[in-house]
Amino acid sequence: MTLPATADVVPLWFDSPAVDWEREGLPIGNGAMGAVIFGGVERDRIQLNEKSLWTGGPDSKQGYDFGVPPNGNQHKALAKTQKIIAEQGRMTPEAAAELMGRDIKGYGNYQTFGDLYLEVAGEGEVSAYRRELDLTTGVASVSYRQGGISYRREYFYSYPDQVLVVQLSADQAAQLNINASLDIPDNRSQRFVRQGSSLTVQGALNDNQLTYAGKLTLRHKGGKLQVADADTELHILAADEVTLLFSAATGYAPKYPSYRGANPEPRVNSVVNAAAAQPYQQLRERHLSDYQTLFSRVALDVGQIEAEDTTAQLLANYGQGNAAADRTLETLYFQFGRYLLISSSRAGSLPANLQGVWNHSNTPPWNADYHVNINLQMNYWPAMVTNLAETSEPLYAFIDSLIEPGRVSAQKLLGARGWTLFLNTNIWGFTGVIAWPTAFWQPEAAAWLTRQYFDYYRFTQDEVFLRERAYPAMKEATLFWLDALVTDPRDGTLVVSPSFSPEHGDFTVAAAMSQQIVAELLRNTLEAANILGDTAFAKQLIVVQAKLDSGLRIGHWGQLQEWKADLDDPDSQHRHVSHLYALHPGRTISVADTPALAQAAKVSLNARGDGGTGWSQAWKINFWARLADGDRAHKVLSEQFKRSTLPNLWDNHPPFQIDGNFGATAGIAEMLLQSHTGSIALLPALPSVWSKGSVTGLRARGDVTVDIAWQDGKLIRASLLAGRSGELVLRDYGYKIAEADTGREVTTRSKDGIIVFSTKAGKRYHIMPKALAAFE
Ligand code: FUC
């Protein structure tokens, strides 16, 4: 079968420099570091980030206690809360926070590193200005004409070389007169040292004495380096070409409880020197081969066009009648989510935070931290299905680093073994509670985080990973619940108490989401225990599972209940729809296996409406895709464009919050391919506006890579590449299957709407509707 190797991805582009960081900046990054390009002609601003540059933590001047009482514990407060809820059935979040919340200090904020400014001399009118981000290369650029000369700048953040690279060129010799300077915020000490063509800045944050270092090196062809006026500047005159290299690091190490590592200056120095020894083209090629290996794995073609419009115009005109231009925006947005994940989450650094890696403030919204009552989890939804498994590694490293402080929280706050955390965390092992009534209590956060760990195994079938990485974190998250669950005297089930449906309603016993998360954790851990032969633990889990309240109830207006009692208000349009966890990201509710619950989920979702903040809409795309309603999923996507997307396509909560980008990218993938129930569903929720198209390179659970082509809204061809030998299970919409190499039809077993067939590792299988005559 032949499918297009890469369908077109148009660039993101503007016809003017950015004025507003959040709305117009173009982000580049390599996971650990990021930059936002403004692209001004005479004064370019490149805002810089290093992901571990945070105030707060153990050395904060404010004091810091990880969110747990340094002496003693909160067992009495917990018992009192449980008692009140047991007696009165509920408790207000304010009253619960009064008892169990904690005023915190030294939580910290993710910081901007500072800015690199380029003063670029030039005379005359500027024309043909273009500032773009090419997702196929991960290279941003600015081009324009001035005084009869064509100028070009390229910007990328290299993962293999760990440097920001900015290259300036012109089509005539000796035209580049540039002053490059570093501007560092004043909430830290700073010592600049200029040596030849390099500039180093070092210092420490005032709040916590976290050390940082940055180094800028300038290389040039032609021209002459001048002695600049200030120590913060490098000055070059009459060059043909200029390359700027920058890297940054801090003295942070992800190690509880000190979180301090080596002095960052030698590292930054050697990284920049190594990059400076390579020609620009080599740096660019090394970046391309790293970036494109990941990015080019998935191509999506739904009939997009080579749009002339700027990205901002595409967005503004969305839904106004030009369907082909709309599809262009949709595919661009899908691929932009993949781009953002590659750029903000790579092995060796922290995971993507609320803003990925991009932040221009020292007091950003929600500290630009890691919220774990939806946001961090959502960031990783596209990782596996859109074939970017490697980008999820920082999440596992982060989870691992939370286990030790999380044990203290489990013990001191709930008197339980294992580990947990609550609403939010920082880079300093914050695993305790804050005092914000409407959100502070979410002890299921660790359980929820570990589902991504198990999903990695389900996608890759990597048993070594399961044994060595995933299972230890999952098992301890489970131990926590074995201790923390209590018996509901009303019906004898095991329940979570106190329990809180994120940011909605009162504290009660056994809110649906709490129970569904714990149920899924037990199920995943049991599956893992069986695979790994941990039979004693498996036996314990089976006993607990049988007593656990499932959190799945249908209420009086046909809705899926958000709480154990039938309290749902059909008029509530709250942004959280947490009680549908079992539908997505969970796997307990599905149209095929639990149709009544799926119907109830639909009723709840209809009542909540298609609006909400950025991430809320993104989640709804996934819900509707899981409910096999592609048109509705697409409608919510279009709402997200209309209400919650900035001109540079960043998701707008508001303010900018990156989870919505990642959630929507995952949602689009869910429309085309699902595998959460254990069988692969091809085109389970194809929207009618994408009547013809193809997708290549998506991943399904079971170590399978999937290509699909369709016409008139129906599959015409698909191809599955099996990574392992074994059995594959496919939702049966009337297919025949053949080996790609021999063309021989394979023997299949069909039952209850699924087809099962045997595969061999490395072999490709072709699928086509029975109604079609022959394989190609
Ligand atoms: C959760 C959400 C909020 C916001 C915050 C960062 O608490 O409920 O809407 O996204 O995270």
Side-chain angles (χ1 to χ4, degrees), residues 630-647:
D631 283 339
R632 191 65 177 275
H634 183 271
K635 170 159 185 280
V636 184
L637 175 64
S638 67
E639 293 295 326
Q640 197 172 347
F641 286 134
K642 286 179 206 152
R643 303 171 193 227
S644 312
T645 304
L646 295 161

Side-chain angles (χ1 to χ4, degrees), residues 471 475 478-479 482 521-546:
Y471 190 63
K475 185 171 179 180
T478 307
L479 271 183
L482 295 189
L521 173 72
L522 294 180
R523 175 176 175 184
N524 290 347
T525 310
L526 177 59
E527 279 179 27
N530 285 333
I531 295 163
L532 300 174
D534 190 353
T535 40
F537 198 57
K539 271 189 200 142
Q540 274 187 59
L541 294 182
I542 291 167
V543 175
V544 177
Q545 249 186 348

Side-chain angles (χ1 to χ4, degrees), residues 354 366 371 373-375 423 436 439 503 575-576 613 615 653 657 659:
L354 281 175
W366 288 288
H371 267 57
N373 72 346
I374 177 62
N375 318 85
L423 168 71
W436 187 33
E503 313 196 43
R575 65 188 181 285
H576 279 276
T613 58
W615 59 254
H653 178 55
Q657 203 170 283
D659 40 27

